[in-house]
Structures are given as structure tokens and as C-alpha cells.
């Protein structure tokens, strides 16, 4: 939860800096955000490539493990579509925010580029909230839900921030499933977010 709070702090700091006039709004134009997005994706690739478990993860990859990210995707999209009726916003906007799968840093930039900063902010808050709730609810959810469903709660965070609590709660045998789940969702985020933003 500490990481989520730090990110939220810097997000609010950016808002305050822009409102107060300390930082001019023109400093972050489309070219800068695209460059930061490319840099972010490079860092994700480096972190995956440096992981000593990468070969072991791919060696243990089974077709049935790919059904978990599919289930997470379908469940997230169904929930996002239902929420769009509650908040009276276009369904495509709700789906774009949900398609971040808690990968807030990437999805919020993509949404801001394609739709605007207002929806980008909504996407950021929605995906940070998903990560924070996962960190809080995993121990409770594990009592009532099967392990695969508990992993689905974390979306794309199940190979980094929420992995320790998942392993501690579910057991080490679920480590590779959680990592594979997150890797598949991570790579799907740009596709889904861009698709829903274009609708």
C-alpha cells in the first residue's frame, strides 16, 4: 500500500504545482508524455528481462494458465460496463479505464492522450484504487474465493506490488500463475485501452 500512497502523493503534488502556477501547464505536452511512455515500456521490458525466474516461468507455462488472464479480462469488462450505467458515462470510457487492469501509470497516459486528461485522471484513480483494494482484501477474499479468483483481483499488479501478499496468502505454488497472469495483462493494456478510447 505504501507504493500506491507515494504515487497518489506525487499525483496530487502535480495538481497543486499546476494550480499554483509553479509549473506551467505547457511543460507536459503530447511529445513529452509519449517519450515518458516509451521510457516506461522500456523499463518494464528491462525488469522482465532481468528477472532470473523468466525462463522458469515460460518453461512452466501451460495453456490452462492463459485462461486466468482471459477470465480477469472478461470479468473486468463486465464490471466496467455495468458501472458505466451507474455513473452515466459512455461505456467506452468505463471500459478504457477498466482495461488498465491496475496498470495505472501506462493506462492513464494512454487515456489522456486519446480522450483527455479528465478521463485519464479517472483512469488513474480507478486503477490505483484497484491495486490498493487488492492489497487490503486478499487475506479476506482468500477465505471465500478460490485462489485463481483472488489472483484476478490484482489485475496486472500480480507480478510486482501484490505478488508478496498473494504468495503469503495463497502459497508459493501460485507464484508462477500470478506472474504469467500479470505478464499477459500487461501486454494487453495498450491494445485494449487504445481500442476503447477510439470507440
Amino acid at each position: 500500500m505504501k507504493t500506491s500512497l507515494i504515487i497518489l502523493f506525487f499525483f496530487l503534488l502535480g495538481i497543486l504545482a499546476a494550480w499554483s502556477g509553479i509549473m506551467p501547464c505547457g511543460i507536459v505536452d503530447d511529445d513529452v508524455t509519449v517519450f515518458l511512455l516509451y521510457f516506461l515500456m522500456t523499463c518494464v521490458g528491462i525488469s522482465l528481462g532481468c528477472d532470473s525466474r523468466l525462463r522458469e516461468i515460460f518453461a512452466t507455462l501451460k495453456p490452462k494458465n492463459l485462461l486466468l488472464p482471459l477470465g480477469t479480462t472478461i470479468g473486468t469488462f463486465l464490471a466496467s460496463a455495468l458501472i458505466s450505467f451507474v455513473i452515466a458515462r459512455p461505456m467506452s470510457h468505463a471500459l478504457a479505464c477498466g482495461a488498465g487492469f491496475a496498470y495505472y501509470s501506462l493506462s492513464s497516459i494512454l487515456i489522456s492522450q486519446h480522450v483527455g486528461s479528465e478521463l485519464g485522471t479517472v483512469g488513474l484513480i480507478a486503477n490505483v484504487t484497484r491495486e490498493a483494494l487488492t492489497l487490503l482484501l486478499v487475506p479476506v477474499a482468500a477465505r471465500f474465493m478460490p485462489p485463481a479468483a483472488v489472483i484476478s483481483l490484482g489485475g496486472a499488479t500480480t507480478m510486482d506490488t501484490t505478488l508478496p501478499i498473494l504468495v503469503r496468502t495463497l502459497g508459493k505454488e501460485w507464484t508462477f500463475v500470478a506472474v504469467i497472469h500479470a505478464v499477459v495483462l500487461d501486454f494487453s493494456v495498450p491494445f485494449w485501452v487504445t481500442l476503447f478510447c477510439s470507440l
Side-chain angles (χ1 to χ4, degrees):
M1 185 122 182
K2 181 182 176 183
T3 305
S4 298
L5 291 174
I6 291 171
I7 290 165
L8 186 59
F9 167 76
F10 280 104
F11 171 68
L12 295 173
L13 184 66
I15 292 174
L16 291 173
W19 275 350
S20 64
I22 295 172
M23 297 294 287
C25 293
I27 196 169
V28 186
D29 60 13
D30 287 342
D31 292 337
V32 173
T33 55
V34 169
F35 173 77
L36 291 174
L37 175 61
Y38 293 155
F39 177 73
L40 178 66
M41 293 305 293
T42 303
C43 289
V44 170
I46 291 170
S47 67
L48 279 173
C50 289
D51 194 331
S52 59
R53 301 170 301 166
L54 190 62
R55 288 182 182 175
E56 189 177 350
I57 289 167
F58 283 117
T60 58
L61 183 63
K62 297 175 183 175
K64 69 175 183 178
N65 291 337
L66 296 177
L67 294 177
L68 182 55
L70 177 63
T72 301
T73 301
I74 293 170
T76 300
F77 290 166
L78 286 174
S80 299
L82 289 173
I83 287 171
S84 70
F85 295 109
V86 176
I87 61 174
R89 292 287 300 250
M91 188 181 293
S92 60
H93 288 184
L95 289 168
C97 292
F101 301 113
Y103 194 169
Y104 43 80
S105 51
L106 174 61
S107 60
S108 60
I109 292 173
L110 290 171
I111 294 169
S112 296
Q113 284 178 341
H114 291 286
V115 180
S117 57
E118 180 185 348
L119 189 64
T121 303
V122 172
L124 175 68
I125 293 170
N127 285 290
V128 167
T129 301
R130 180 173 184 170
E131 179 185 300
L133 286 175
T134 301
L135 290 168
L136 291 171
L137 297 177
V138 160
V140 178
R143 297 178 183 178
F144 307 102
M145 299 165 62
V150 176
I151 291 171
S152 287
L153 293 174
T157 67
T158 60
M159 72 173 175
D160 43 61
T161 54
T162 62
L163 183 61
I165 186 103
L166 286 168
V167 172
R168 190 162 61 244
T169 305
L170 301 177
K172 290 183 179 179
E173 65 270 19
W174 289 95
T175 302
F176 294 137
V177 176
V179 172
I180 291 164
H181 171 257
V183 168
V184 173
L185 290 178
D186 270 357
F187 283 105
S188 74
V189 168
F191 169 76
W192 289 120
V193 171
T194 305
L195 174 66
F196 292 130
C197 285
S198 65
L199 296 178

